[in-house]
Amino acid sequence: MQSLSWVLPTETKVKYIQSLLRVGFDTVEIGSIVSRKLIPQMADTVDLLNRLDCSETHSNRMVLVASTRGAEIISKAAGVTHISYPFSVSPTFLHLNLNTDFEGSFKTVKEIAEICEMSNKKMVIYISMAFGNPYGDGWSMSLLADWIGKLEMAGVKTIPLSNVAIEIDKVQITEMFSTLLPQFPGIEFGLHLHTTNRDWYDSVDAAYQSGCRRFDSVINGYGGCPMSGKEMLGNLKTENLIGYLQQNRLPLELDQEALSRSLTLASFTFTA
C-alpha cells in the first residue's frame, strides 16, 4: 500500500486485510509505524489495528516499525504477534530510510528485542540490500555474515533477506542461502524478493532448493521501497509463489475460496 500515489480509506484497508487473515497465510503484514509526513498511507495503522477482528485467524499479524518509539506503540496492540524492523548492511540505505547509521540502527534492534520480550511478541529483522546495493557502499558476504552474527547475539531469530532496488539472479541467491543456512542454524532466514514478473521463477526455485522456506509476497506484486532513492522493483506476486508450490507439488494449506475473494478484492482496492 505504501507505494500507491493515493491514500486508501481506513475502512478499505480493514476490509482487505481482514480478507487476507481468512486465507491461512503464515503471517500477514498489517501496517507500519513510520513518518506520517513521508508515508501518509501508513498514518492510520493503529486505528486499523483497533478495527480488525483477529479472533478467528491462525495467521501471525506483523507490523513494521522504524524506531524504538514505534515498537513501544505496537507492543501495546493485542492483535499484533510480530514486530519487524528494516536493518541494512548499507549505510546509505539506513540514512535514506531511517536517518541513522550502523550504530544507531543496531541500538534500535537491541531495544526492540527488549520490548518484544516484555510484551510477549516476536521480532523479525529484515536485512535490506542484503545482496549488494546501487549506492556504491562496500558489500561482501563476510560483512553480511558479521552483522547476522551480531543480530543473533542480540536475540534475533528471524531474518528475511531483501534485494530492494537491485536485480539479483539465481546464482547469487543460491550462494547466499547455501552459505548462511549452515553457518547460522538457529536463524530462520527468508527471502523478501523484489523482482519483475518475468524473472521470479528461477529466483524462488534457487532459494527453495537451497533450503529457504520463508517467502514474502504481495497479491498482484504491488509494492516497493519508496525511500530507497532508486527505481523500485515490484514485490514477488503471491499468485506466482502459489503457482510455484502447486507446480512442484509442495504443501499448500490455504483456504482457496478465501484466497479467491482476496484476489478479487485486491483488483478493486488497488485501482484508483
Side-chain angles (χ1 to χ4, degrees):
M1 295 179 181
Q2 67 183 10
S3 64
L4 299 178
S5 60
W6 69 97
V7 176
L8 294 167
T10 303
E11 193 53 45
T12 299
K13 297 177 186 177
V14 171
K15 184 177 180 181
Y16 177 63
I17 293 173
Q18 199 74 65
S19 77
L20 296 178
L21 290 172
R22 298 187 182 102
V23 177
F25 296 117
D26 176 83
T27 302
V28 175
E29 186 175 53
I30 293 171
S32 60
I33 305 297
V34 291
S35 169
R36 292 169 174 256
K37 180 180 179 180
L38 295 175
I39 308 181
Q41 186 74 261
M42 299 290 101
D44 61 349
T45 292
V46 173
D47 184 23
L48 188 157
L49 282 167
N50 291 332
R51 299 192 197 188
L52 283 176
D53 178 6
C54 301
S55 61
E56 296 184 3
T57 184
H58 297 293
S59 296
N60 296 309
R61 285 87 61 192
M62 184 171 71
V63 172
L64 181 143
V65 302
S67 66
T68 301
R69 176 57 182 157
E72 291 172 342
I73 292 171
I74 290 304
S75 69
K76 299 176 177 63
V80 175
T81 60
H82 289 61
I83 298 175
S84 66
Y85 174 79
F87 187 75
S88 181
V89 294
S90 163
T92 302
F93 181 92
L94 291 175
H95 175 70
L96 289 173
N97 284 264
L98 304 170
N99 193 30
T100 190
D101 54 18
F102 285 135
E103 182 180 356
S105 188
F106 188 55
K107 179 175 180 289
T108 299
V109 169
K110 291 188 286 187
E111 291 170 346
I112 292 174
E114 293 178 1
I115 291 169
C116 286
E117 184 175 359
M118 290 187 294
S119 60
N120 196 31
K121 299 189 189 304
K122 295 183 179 181
M123 177 172 53
V124 177
I125 301 299
Y126 283 81
I127 297 186
S128 300
M129 303 295 182
F131 296 84
N133 64 78
Y135 309 120
D137 297 335
W139 181 93
S140 67
M141 185 68 76
S142 60
L143 173 66
L144 178 65
D146 181 56
W147 274 111
I148 290 173
K150 293 176 181 178
L151 292 171
E152 185 176 39
M153 289 293 291
V156 181
K157 297 181 180 179
T158 303
I159 302 179
L161 305 174
S162 175
N163 57 316
V164 184
I166 63 169
E167 295 193 58
I168 53 177
D169 59 31
K170 61 182 181 181
V171 175
Q172 292 169 284
I173 293 172
T174 298
E175 180 185 7
M176 180 72 70
F177 288 105
S178 296
T179 300
L180 295 178
L181 266 66
Q183 189 172 350
F184 299 98
I187 297 290
E188 179 191 20
F189 287 101
L191 179 62
H192 183 92
L193 179 66
H194 292 259
T195 182
T196 64
N197 196 38
R198 65 180 183 276
D199 297 327
W200 65 273
Y201 187 94
D202 285 347
S203 296
V204 170
D205 187 56
Y208 191 90
Q209 296 300 331
S210 300
C212 178
R213 294 296 181 268
R214 182 186 183 100
F215 293 84
D216 289 0
S217 68
V218 180
I219 287 178
N220 287 335
Y222 291 118
C225 181
M227 302 299 293
S228 67
K230 297 290 181 180
E231 182 179 354
M232 293 181 292
L233 293 167
N235 289 94
L236 172 64
K237 291 177 66 172
T238 302
E239 303 93 304
N240 287 344
L241 180 59
I242 290 173
Y244 174 85
L245 296 172
Q246 292 174 330
Q247 181 176 336
N248 290 279
R249 298 182 180 180
L250 298 169
L252 184 64
E253 298 179 1
L254 301 179
D255 184 323
Q256 294 298 325
E257 290 186 7
L259 174 62
S260 179
R261 288 192 291 269
S262 288
L263 291 169
T264 300
L265 190 56
S267 66
F268 293 102
T269 300
F270 297 110
T271 303

